[in-house]
Amino acid sequence: MRRDIFQAIADPTRRGIVALIALQAMTPNAIAENFNTTRQAVSKHLRILTECELVKQEYQGREIYYSLEIEKMKEIDKWLDQYRKIWENRFNQLDQVLSTLKKQTTK
Amino acid sequence: MRRDIFQAIADPTRRGIVALIALQAMTPNAIAENFNTTRQAVSKHLRILTECELVKQEYQGREIYYSLEIEKMKEIDKWLDQYRKIWENRFNQLDQVLSTLKKQTTK
DNA sequence: TATTTGCGAAACCGAAAAGTTGCATATATA
DNA sequence: TATATATGCAACTTTTCGGTTTCGCAAATA
């Protein structure tokens, strides 16, 4: 199926689920209450999120609690890093321009 | 069409394009050379990237140079922020545990 | 034990995505 | 001016996606 984390967070409902279970584990039924879809649809999303290890399960009787695998989120952060370098560089360049400008005006 | 940046970066080819034009502007033909698809397919991806303002165009004669709109990338960073708080929190908690442990062992 | 509840999986459906081929158009170049 | 080149766009096809409905199974409960 070739799931990756970028595809996982592409869907707005899945981002909603991720946000929901970020702070506390929840069952599929409880999660589904927050969206305008069926529990089965949520279950499908949870499967995708589980497949790419963005979410972990905890069995408790017949209930399954889902929670966010926060470590996996760092993968996006890591990917962003290359671009962060670029925008910080540009900021520094702007900073230099500004400081040069300041020196000139205070002279 | 409801394009958003998360959908835009979901496709691996588009992430490739983004990486490619991050540092220097390129024409569709030049970009297409780097992927195993037709120029038209790349053109379609560029259209999607342009639609969600992740990429900007610069016309130069009959050529069009595409480059990354780095500011837009910050949107992902902003979204990540809520989760960054969580993982930093956990790290701090671990840090406290470790320093407590250290105090005890050095006593 | 019989029934309800929580869940995943499979089958199906319509819409969207990603790719290809075939254009049309504008700009270089011979 | 005739031709080659760079590009976008439209039509079409195949695949994927997100959703619903239906089902089966295991655990709780009456």
Side-chain angles (χ1 to χ4, degrees):
Chain A
M1 280 252 177
R2 289 312 280 132
R3 301 275 181 213
D4 70 59
I5 194 172
F6 294 101
Q7 203 199 339
I9 62 162
D11 184 79
T13 304
R14 281 199 288 270
R15 285 201 301 280
I17 293 175
V18 164
L20 210 54
I21 63 174
L23 294 173
Q24 56 169 347
M26 291 175 76
T27 64
N29 264 320
I31 295 169
E33 280 171 15
N34 295 274
F35 300 96
N36 202 21
T37 53
T38 59
R39 175 191 57 80
Q40 284 88 338
V42 168
S43 212
K44 260 184 154 183
H45 285 306
L46 286 170
R47 185 168 177 243
I48 290 168
L49 292 171
T50 306
E51 268 174 13
C52 68
E53 297 171 310
L54 200 56
V55 147
K56 58 173 180 276
Q57 306 167 306
E58 198 179 318
Y59 292 81
Q60 198 166 309
R62 67 178 166 185
E63 293 182 326
I64 304 177
Y65 283 86
Y66 286 87
S67 60
L68 184 62
E69 193 74 75
I70 193 78
E71 280 298 312
K72 192 72 177 181
M73 297 293 279
K74 291 187 186 174
E75 240 177 60
I76 303 168
D77 199 52
K78 204 177 159 191
W79 176 77
L80 258 187
D81 233 35
Q82 55 188 319
Y83 303 106
R84 194 172 293 119
K85 274 172 198 154
I86 296 174
W87 78 58
E88 278 171 2
N89 243 354
R90 298 217 178 150
F91 180 75
N92 288 343
Q93 282 169 12
L94 178 65
D95 214 43
Q96 280 181 9
V97 169
L98 290 179
S99 69
T100 310
L101 210 64
K102 201 182 172 184
K103 275 182 199 164
Q104 289 174 342
T105 50
T106 50
K107 251 179 199 165
Chain B
M1 283 254 178
R2 286 319 276 135
R3 301 274 181 215
D4 70 57
I5 194 172
F6 293 100
Q7 204 200 338
I9 61 161
D11 184 82
T13 304
R14 280 199 288 272
R15 285 200 302 281
I17 293 175
V18 164
L20 210 54
I21 63 173
L23 293 172
Q24 54 170 348
M26 290 176 78
T27 64
N29 263 322
I31 294 168
E33 278 171 17
N34 295 274
F35 299 96
N36 202 20
T37 53
T38 59
R39 176 192 57 78
Q40 283 88 337
V42 169
S43 212
K44 257 186 158 183
H45 285 306
L46 286 170
R47 187 170 175 241
I48 290 167
L49 291 170
T50 307
E51 268 173 14
C52 68
E53 297 172 310
L54 199 58
V55 147
K56 56 174 181 275
Q57 306 166 306
E58 198 179 320
Y59 292 81
Q60 198 166 309
R62 68 179 166 183
E63 293 182 328
I64 304 177
Y65 283 85
Y66 286 87
S67 60
L68 184 61
E69 193 74 77
I70 193 78
E71 280 297 311
K72 193 72 176 181
M73 297 293 279
K74 292 188 186 175
E75 241 177 59
I76 303 168
D77 199 53
K78 203 177 157 190
W79 175 77
L80 258 188
D81 233 34
Q82 56 188 317
Y83 302 105
R84 196 172 291 121
K85 275 173 198 154
I86 296 174
W87 78 59
E88 278 172 1
N89 242 354
R90 298 215 179 151
F91 179 75
N92 287 342
Q93 283 169 14
L94 177 65
D95 213 44
Q96 280 181 11
V97 168
L98 289 179
S99 68
T100 309
L101 210 64
K102 200 183 173 186
K103 274 184 200 165
Q104 288 174 345
T105 52
T106 50
K107 249 181 202 168

